[in-house]
Every structure is written in C-alpha cells, then in structure tokens.
Amino acid sequence: QVQLVESGGGSVQAGGSLRLSCAASGGSYSLNDVAWFRQAPGKGREGVAARYAGGITTAYADSVKGRFTISQDIAKNTVYLQMNNLKPEDTAMYYCAADKRRFARWYELLTWSYWGQGTQVTVSS
C-alpha cells in the first residue's frame, strides 16, 4: 500500500521560508505526478502546486506564484515544496498527493489517488 509522508512544516514569521518534503513508502511506488494542497481552518482544500506529465509540466496557484517552487529528487523518491516570503494567509495544513488521473485538472481533489496525512505550516505576522 502506498503511503505518502510529509515533513518540514513548522512555525515561522512572515517573510520567512520553509521547505516541505513528501516521501513515498510501502513497496516500490515511484513518485511521478505529484501535487501539494493546503487547507486552512474553516476552508476547503485547495491546490497549491503540481508537477506532472513526467515532470514536464508544473503549475501553481496564483496566490503562490513567484514564492513557492515544487521540485523532485528522483533518486530519493521525494518531492519538495520550497516556500519563500511566507505570509500569514499561507497558514494551513499542507498535504501531498500523488498519482494523477490523466486529463484531469491538477487542482481538483478527485484528480489524485494517494494522499498524505499533512504537515502544519503556521506563519505569524
């Protein structure tokens, strides 16, 4: 059974940086198409960034463009989300998702088959 494990969350002040990691465990599953979502208290889960089509395509939510970067270390079977210039509105639980349905929109929840348990990011002003 595929398990995704996120790490790297924490508390930072506005303007700070964090790097989230997502590693796959349980068998020989290779991370290929991957996305990061987040969910703030009282809000729905929203897509933040994705990397798919064999790594050819990356996509970002408008709210994080220019500040967040999704990347992948194939050798470590790990995907990262580098978050710079963090803002209080970035405060949320961040989730890793994998295995994208073809032709489906990356920012929709049903597009992805596997999900991690999440890692909390808190940004104070």
Side-chain angles (χ1 to χ4, degrees):
Q1 184 175 355
V2 176
Q3 289 185 322
L4 303 179
V5 180
E6 302 97 334
S7 61
S11 297
V12 296
Q13 290 190 328
S17 298
L18 284 173
R19 189 179 77 159
L20 306 183
S21 300
C22 172
S25 64
S28 59
Y29 182 78
S30 295
L31 286 172
N32 290 308
D33 298 344
V34 186
W36 287 95
F37 284 73
R38 67 185 181 186
Q39 187 166 15
K43 295 187 177 181
R45 194 172 296 191
E46 63 173 357
V48 174
R51 180 183 170 93
Y52 55 96
I56 295 175
T57 301
T58 55
Y60 297 91
D62 288 343
S63 59
V64 306
K65 281 181 181 176
R67 300 189 298 122
F68 291 10
T69 303
I70 187 171
S71 62
Q72 183 175 12
D73 186 329
I74 296 175
K76 295 183 177 179
N77 203 22
T78 301
V79 174
Y80 304 97
L81 184 68
Q82 178 67 43
M83 306 185 297
N84 298 327
N85 190 21
L86 283 161
K87 303 176 180 180
E89 51 263 43
D90 294 319
T91 294
M93 184 73 78
Y94 282 72
Y95 299 90
C96 173
D99 192 22
K100 180 183 177 294
R101 286 195 302 118
R102 291 185 69 186
F103 309 118
R105 299 180 182 90
W106 70 269
Y107 49 84
E108 295 183 349
L109 302 183
L110 293 178
T111 295
W112 305 90
S113 301
Y114 305 118
W115 291 84
Q117 293 301 307
T119 185
Q120 178 67 39
V121 172
T122 303
V123 184
S124 58
S125 57

